[in-house]
Amino acid sequence: MAPVTELTVGQVAMRSGVAVSALHFYEARGLIRSHRTSGNQRRYGRDVLRRVAIIKVAQEVGISLAEIGEALASLPEGRTPTRDDWNLLSTAWRDGLDHKIAQLKKLRDGLTDCIGCGCMSIDKCPLRNKGDRLAREGTGARRLIAP
Amino acid sequence: MAPVTELTVGQVAMRSGVAVSALHFYEARGLIRSHRTSGNQRRYGRDVLRRVAIIKVAQEVGISLAEIGEALASLPEGRTPTRDDWNLLSTAWRDGLDHKIAQLKKLRDGLTDCIGCGCMSIDKCPLRNKGDRLAREGTGARRLIAP
DNA sequence: CTACAAGCTCAACTTAACTTGAGGTCAAGC
DNA sequence: GCTTGACCTCAAGTTAAGTTGAGCTTGTAG
């Protein structure tokens, strides 16, 4: 029982849960690849499901297609990714992911702390002083020239 | 020494780190509010800095302006938010934030695990079977009718 | 062999979130 | 009193990520 190696767009769409138009789009952007039948129809290798899965998860957490594309570019064409391939992709993202996780926690815990501290003492709020650096220099008039 | 209560757009822009045009935009979308001077210029209360800070952090983690707007709508106009106000906003977001954090970790740890397991045994990869539910029913031909 | 579901291409439309530009007003320093 | 920098409004442009539609081809089931 040989495995089915080739998938049509429709099959990939169904399995991955993304629209056919989106798959066309990803292909145009170089995120996935296909070869064509004699009748000019797309056929995908099974590795495309992996790629699409990664695209979806990455997108859900706010990584742009451009970034995803760059990362996926490090994966070999056609061949099933090896340990080293994943290693590359992973380390390329780890820092960004860690940063995002930290941001998310800051927001969640920031709000938590705001509740905890009642936010009457605004200075203790962890959400404070994000891009409001000048405010720390005191209240009142201040320079209008950028630092 | 009475505190400076009113801020111009330029001042808010400088302190919050967002462009003046973005502030206009947020105001048009109802995320922030201002009143006008006799000369039709915007003046903001200090609470606007809090709001913009929240907008920025929330956006950075992928929350849309629409959602942010909804959440901010629960904050009282003009008045400094009380503990209860923050409580509402926070609980409204907590679940979504927790979910996103989980997603992010899944991606980060998924990749880590892929390295750990070498991804040769594709079935063990935590990234697998995300929207590829059908694949678990076996390899090969399957129904073309949606579940 | 013929119907009709799937595919194909390409152009145009959509939404979000802003930015840019044109054309005109306000206010503080010299 | 005039110049200059900050503001104002409104319309149009921009980028990302797709979707929709028109018009035409493929391929499979009856």
Side-chain angles (χ1 to χ4, degrees):
Chain A
M1 189 178 73
V4 175
T5 36
E6 304 280 73
L7 296 166
T8 66
V9 255
Q11 288 170 332
V12 174
M14 187 174 42
R15 286 197 171 191
S16 65
V18 317
V20 169
S21 63
L23 292 172
H24 284 0
F25 184 75
Y26 294 155
E27 193 170 327
R29 278 281 190 291
L31 277 78
I32 58 177
R33 239 166 51 117
S34 65
H35 67 265
R36 303 301 179 101
T37 65
S38 56
N40 195 38
Q41 299 202 347
R42 288 170 179 85
R43 287 299 179 272
Y44 297 94
R46 311 210 107 259
D47 65 306
V48 80
L49 293 173
R50 288 299 232 104
R51 283 173 173 261
V52 175
I54 291 173
I55 293 170
K56 285 181 64 184
V57 178
Q59 267 200 307
E60 228 183 292
V61 298
I63 301 177
S64 71
L65 279 194
E67 285 176 282
I68 298 169
E70 268 179 60
L72 287 182
S74 71
L75 294 183
E77 296 294 354
R79 166 164 76 71
T80 298
T82 68
R83 175 189 188 125
D84 286 344
D85 298 326
W86 286 109
N87 204 339
L88 247 68
L89 193 161
S90 183
T91 53
W93 272 353
R94 186 95 22 100
D95 285 355
L97 292 176
D98 282 343
H99 173 73
K100 260 178 197 289
I101 290 172
Q103 279 295 101
L104 228 14
K105 283 184 174 167
K106 217 154 47 181
L107 182 56
R108 184 192 57 185
D109 299 345
L111 293 176
T112 302
D113 287 359
C114 276
I115 291 167
C117 71
C119 270
M120 308 313 277
S121 60
I122 204 167
D123 293 320
K124 294 176 61 179
C125 183
L127 278 181
R128 186 167 170 69
N129 292 327
K130 284 203 176 15
D132 187 19
R133 307 184 320 286
L134 288 174
R136 271 184 299 223
E137 294 165 13
T139 312
R142 64 205 58 254
R143 69 194 130 107
L144 289 174
I145 294 86
Chain B
M1 185 179 75
V4 174
T5 36
E6 304 281 72
L7 297 165
T8 67
V9 255
Q11 287 168 332
V12 174
M14 186 175 42
R15 286 197 171 192
S16 65
V18 317
V20 170
S21 62
L23 292 172
H24 283 0
F25 183 74
Y26 294 155
E27 192 171 326
R29 278 281 191 290
L31 277 78
I32 57 177
R33 242 166 52 116
S34 66
H35 67 266
R36 303 299 181 102
T37 64
S38 56
N40 195 37
Q41 299 201 346
R42 288 169 178 85
R43 287 300 179 271
Y44 296 93
R46 313 211 107 256
D47 64 307
V48 81
L49 293 174
R50 288 299 234 101
R51 281 172 174 262
V52 174
I54 292 174
I55 293 170
K56 285 181 63 185
V57 178
Q59 267 201 306
E60 229 184 292
V61 297
I63 301 177
S64 71
L65 279 194
E67 286 176 281
I68 299 170
E70 270 180 58
L72 287 182
S74 72
L75 295 182
E77 296 293 353
R79 163 166 78 74
T80 297
T82 67
R83 176 194 190 120
D84 286 342
D85 297 327
W86 285 109
N87 204 338
L88 246 66
L89 195 161
S90 182
T91 53
W93 272 353
R94 186 94 23 97
D95 286 354
L97 293 176
D98 283 344
H99 173 73
K100 259 178 199 289
I101 290 173
Q103 279 295 102
L104 230 11
K105 282 184 175 166
K106 216 153 51 180
L107 182 57
R108 183 193 59 186
D109 299 345
L111 292 175
T112 304
D113 288 357
C114 275
I115 291 167
C117 70
C119 271
M120 309 312 277
S121 60
I122 204 169
D123 293 319
K124 293 177 63 181
C125 182
L127 277 182
R128 185 166 172 70
N129 292 327
K130 283 204 179 13
D132 188 18
R133 307 185 319 288
L134 288 175
R136 270 187 300 225
E137 295 165 13
T139 312
R142 65 205 58 256
R143 71 195 131 108
L144 289 175
I145 293 87

